[in-house]
Amino acid sequence: MLPFLRFSDVVKDGKAKVTGLFILKNAGLTVLPTLGDGHCLMHAIINSWKIQVPNINPPSLEKIKSLFFVEAMDFRDTYMNFDAGKITVSQYCSMLGKYITEKRYNNVVVDYMPIMIATSLKINIYIIHDENDSIRCEDITPHRDTVAEHSI
């Protein structure tokens, strides 16, 4: 769980006075280097898992890709509807395949990847965006009736 901070703790004269690193340190967390090869979220989950869930071996990259693919395909009608039906099944499958095999991450399917991975791994994923004097925190939780067993 991310720490509770009062507005006055993080904003002074209309500008952020803390960084994502400050928030992480207050939560007892740290920044970990992540391979930026197009599967960076998957690498980040593995690296974070090793520290935050040390008593359970993290899933391998191949396992995460496999679970992500199964989730994406089994519930494609749900995920395709996130985009208001702007893509066809063929386009969806093509984008999914290109992401997994060619690491082409600039597509609609990858936008839904965090929730697909959170659901398939039964984890909460906390993402802190720290850029341009702006901090935004996202809490990605599994959907349907899936209950998170860990937080990464």
Side-chain angles (χ1 to χ4, degrees), residues 47-142:
N47 291 343
S48 295
W49 191 297
K50 290 175 185 175
I51 292 172
Q52 295 171 329
V53 191
N55 56 331
I56 299 174
N57 288 331
S60 68
L61 179 63
E62 290 306 314
K63 180 70 172 180
I64 294 173
K65 286 195 297 189
S66 174
L67 290 171
F68 164 64
F69 181 78
V70 169
E71 174 71 17
M73 290 306 294
D74 285 355
F75 297 95
R76 66 182 166 269
D77 291 338
T78 299
Y79 295 117
M80 286 176 55
N81 287 331
F82 283 179
D83 198 41
K86 295 178 185 171
I87 59 175
T88 66
V89 172
S90 176
Q91 290 170 320
Y92 177 87
C93 292
S94 175
M95 286 185 238
L96 181 61
K98 286 179 181 177
Y99 171 70
I100 290 177
T101 60
E102 301 172 26
K103 301 177 183 177
R104 291 195 187 174
Y105 56 86
N106 191 14
N107 71 58
V108 173
V109 174
V110 176
D111 293 343
Y112 314 132
M113 184 178 62
I115 195 163
M116 293 178 191
I117 291 176
T119 303
S120 63
L121 289 177
K122 298 179 183 172
I123 60 173
N124 291 320
I125 301 173
Y126 297 109
I127 300 174
I128 298 176
H129 302 274
D130 182 4
E131 52 191 59
N132 302 328
D133 290 329
S134 176
I135 298 171
R136 182 171 43 97
C137 301
E138 294 181 44
D139 180 4
I140 312 297
T141 59

Side-chain angles (χ1 to χ4, degrees), residues 20-36:
L21 184 57
F22 174 84
I23 293 172
L24 287 174
K25 285 185 177 183
N26 276 346
L29 304 174
T30 188
V31 174
L32 299 172
T34 299
L35 186 60

